[in-house]
Amino acid sequence: MKGLSIISSLLDNDFYKFTMQNAIIKLFPYAKARYEFINRGKHSFPKNFSEKLKECLKQMSYLRLSNEEKNFLEKSCPYFDYEYLNFLKNYQYNPKEVCITQYGENIKIYIEGLWNRIILWEVPLMAVISELYYKLTGAEPISDKKIILLTKEKLNRYKKLNVKIGEYGTRRRFSYKIQKLVVKVLKKGGGSLFMGTSNVHLSNFFSTKPLGTHGHEWIMFHAAKYGFSIADRIAMENWLNVYRNNIGVALSDTYTSSIFFQNFNQKLSNIFNGIRHDSGDPILFIKKTIDHYKKFKINPLKKEIIFSDNLNPNKVAYISSFCKKKINPIFGIGTNFTNDVGVPSMNIVIKMVKATPKKDWVSVVKLSNVNEKSTGDKNMIFLAKKILHLF
């Protein structure tokens, strides 16, 4: 296997990692965090996988933000100030922040350090794990020609539905090459329905808008610092303190949507452009969202729901049909675009498990709307559910 440089750009990452990094630098510059790899799919890793993975990460340490990439960020993200762009220009991955061990067919990975530094590891690390796994296990995808045809077929279905779509598939892609091929097809044939990609490097390459706001870890940290009950609200207010209403989509399921809506007060409901749905029954969520907006006399047709939970054409058709003339849906499609290539896709995640909101380490948890997507220390999950009356 020649060369182990799977990630070739510092911007080969999801946009929300950079928006969160900027906010962390502004508000929590001394906070530390710890992330851990979770092998949900119980995948068996080949011999010496950990050593090959370490080689890939070593190659990532040579990446730097180019002047051209910096110019792209300045133009497409005017809310990124000089301070942050200068930080990013001097940033480089440090493989010492990532601890990798292998026991037989199992690998353990954790990332630890200053939160504003290590936040960039999660997405590209997952992309490397995925692509390296397929390379070392000899997995053969369908041909590029078939991938192009399949992507066009999906795109045609989305066109008939007249829905807006974005590509969100970096973390579990089969390979960088296939993700790039898919985005090329979407860019060429998607017209105004293709909103762009969450991958900042590919956004630059294809001259599209980078998509994303913030992830669950942003709210998880706030829960550790301010408490579970008000974490959603404080996290949203802090987001507005940094970005005003420039990147205004709220994430709804870190501590279940019922708790989120309690925190999503009239002011926040008006300011944020919409809400992201990432777990649970989408139809039930649509109904709750519409009722919530109407309670504050807000027209739901002026708001958006960004759906991002394991989407495919059939699911998109089902959701969009229910949304019609009620609220505006946008669909962030990930694995179904970048890893629908004739081999089983990996079921892996990397999640924050601890943070230092003050001086000491505190376990952080995510509850989600479905138990399978909850993460963190079992005792802390129990405590969170007790505090939030979720039993």
Side-chain angles (χ1 to χ4, degrees):
M1 192 170 84
K2 286 185 180 180
L4 291 168
S5 181
I6 290 174
I7 305 294
S8 60
S9 166
L10 191 70
L11 296 186
D12 188 1
N13 205 328
D14 278 345
F15 180 55
Y16 75 168
K17 287 294 180 177
F18 298 104
T19 57
M20 285 190 289
Q21 184 182 50
N22 177 45
I24 294 162
I25 291 168
K26 301 284 191 295
L27 302 179
F28 311 110
Y30 304 110
K32 294 181 181 178
R34 178 184 174 112
Y35 296 75
E36 289 184 2
F37 171 75
I38 303 169
N39 184 6
R40 283 179 177 165
K42 309 296 182 187
H43 304 285
S44 298
F45 290 90
K47 187 178 180 182
N48 295 327
F49 183 88
S50 61
E51 295 308 311
K52 299 293 184 182
L53 182 57
K54 288 174 185 176
E55 289 180 42
C56 293
L57 302 197
K58 184 178 179 182
Q59 290 299 315
M60 288 175 64
S61 70
Y62 299 110
L63 299 175
R64 300 289 187 280
L65 187 75
S66 70
N67 289 329
E68 188 273 332
E69 289 173 329
K70 184 181 178 184
N71 290 338
F72 168 74
L73 292 176
E74 285 176 339
K75 290 177 182 177
S76 60
C77 313
Y79 34 80
F80 284 161
D81 59 17
Y82 172 81
E83 178 190 20
Y84 176 60
L85 291 176
N86 191 51
F87 174 91
L88 207 56
K89 193 77 172 72
N90 292 294
Y91 180 92
Q92 59 191 101
Y93 285 108
N94 180 2
K96 291 180 180 179
E97 294 165 341
V98 186
C99 179
I100 305 166
T101 52
Q102 182 165 358
Y103 305 92
E105 296 180 336
N106 300 312
I107 60 167
K108 287 190 175 183
I109 303 171
Y110 71 84
I111 310 159
E112 188 172 300
L114 274 174
W115 190 22
N116 65 43
R117 280 198 44 81
I118 67 169
I119 191 167
L120 293 191
W121 274 113
E122 177 197 343
V123 174
L125 179 54
M126 285 181 65
V128 171
I129 291 169
S130 182
E131 184 163 347
L132 188 62
Y133 176 83
Y134 290 122
K135 282 184 177 181
L136 295 179
T137 56
E140 289 290 338
I142 56 177
S143 68
D144 287 359
K145 185 177 180 181
K146 287 182 179 178
I147 291 169
I148 292 169
L149 288 173
L150 184 60
T151 306
K152 285 181 177 178
E153 285 173 10
K154 293 172 185 174
L155 189 54
N156 286 334
R157 287 194 65 182
Y158 296 137
K159 282 182 175 180
K160 287 179 182 178
L161 294 170
N162 195 31
V163 294
K164 293 182 178 180
I165 59 168
E167 185 277 313
Y168 279 38
T170 301
R171 65 186 60 221
R172 296 185 191 92
R173 66 193 184 195
F174 182 89
S175 68
Y176 166 77
K177 176 190 167 189
I178 286 175
Q179 184 181 17
K180 189 175 181 180
L181 184 63
V182 166
V183 175
K184 182 180 180 181
V185 174
L186 296 174
K187 166 72 174 176
K188 186 176 180 181
S192 60
L193 296 181
F194 178 55
M195 303 291 287
T197 171
S198 64
N199 186 295
V200 187
H201 163 66
L202 293 176
S203 293
N204 183 18
F205 189 88
F206 290 106
S207 301
T208 66
K209 181 182 177 182
L211 304 178
T213 51
H214 60 261
H216 295 100
E217 65 208 272
W218 178 251
I219 303 161
M220 291 159 69
F221 178 86
H222 280 76
K225 189 171 181 67
Y226 302 104
F228 295 109
S229 300
I230 59 171
D232 281 302
R233 179 173 60 82
I234 303 300
M236 285 185 276
E237 288 177 350
N238 273 338
W239 197 252
L240 291 176
N241 288 339
V242 176
Y243 292 109
R244 307 304 173 202
N245 60 345
N246 284 302
I247 321 175
V249 174
L251 181 55
S252 64
D253 68 333
T254 311
Y255 297 108
T256 75
S257 294
S258 61
I259 301 301
F260 166 79
F261 283 119
Q262 291 173 27
N263 282 270
F264 201 41
N265 59 31
Q266 187 168 9
K267 170 195 163 186
L268 296 170
S269 297
N270 272 291
I271 293 175
F272 278 83
N273 299 328
I275 307 171
R276 180 155 74 95
H277 169 269
D278 196 49
S279 66
D281 184 335
I283 305 304
L284 183 61
F285 182 79
I286 295 164
K287 290 177 180 177
K288 284 183 176 180
T289 301
I290 291 170
D291 288 344
H292 179 82
Y293 281 132
K294 286 183 175 178
K295 179 179 73 176
F296 293 131
K297 295 182 170 54
I298 297 169
N299 183 357
L301 286 170
K302 292 185 177 180
K303 297 295 182 178
E304 302 167 341
I305 300 179
I306 290 80
F307 295 92
S308 58
D309 183 23
N310 194 26
L311 299 174
N312 57 52
N314 291 335
K315 198 169 179 181
V316 169
Y318 173 62
I319 295 170
S320 63
S321 175
F322 190 83
C323 286
K324 205 165 188 180
K325 295 182 179 179
K326 298 186 186 81
I327 197 164
N328 301 302
I330 297 175
F331 299 92
I333 301 162
T335 306
N336 188 254
F337 269 149
T338 62
N339 206 344
D340 185 16
V341 296
V343 299
S345 57
M346 298 194 81
N347 186 2
I348 56 175
V349 295
I350 293 174
K351 290 293 180 184
M352 181 194 284
V353 293
K354 287 185 178 181
T356 60
K358 294 176 183 176
K359 288 185 178 180
D360 299 324
W361 286 98
V362 177
S363 293
V364 299
V365 298
K366 172 193 165 197
L367 298 186
S368 187
N369 289 319
V370 291
N371 289 330
E372 308 91 77
K373 296 186 86 172
S374 296
T375 61
D377 177 77
K378 289 181 180 179
N379 292 330
M380 189 62 80
I381 288 175
F382 177 85
L383 179 62
K385 286 183 175 180
K386 185 175 180 181
I387 291 170
L388 297 171
H389 306 290
L390 293 175
F391 288 111

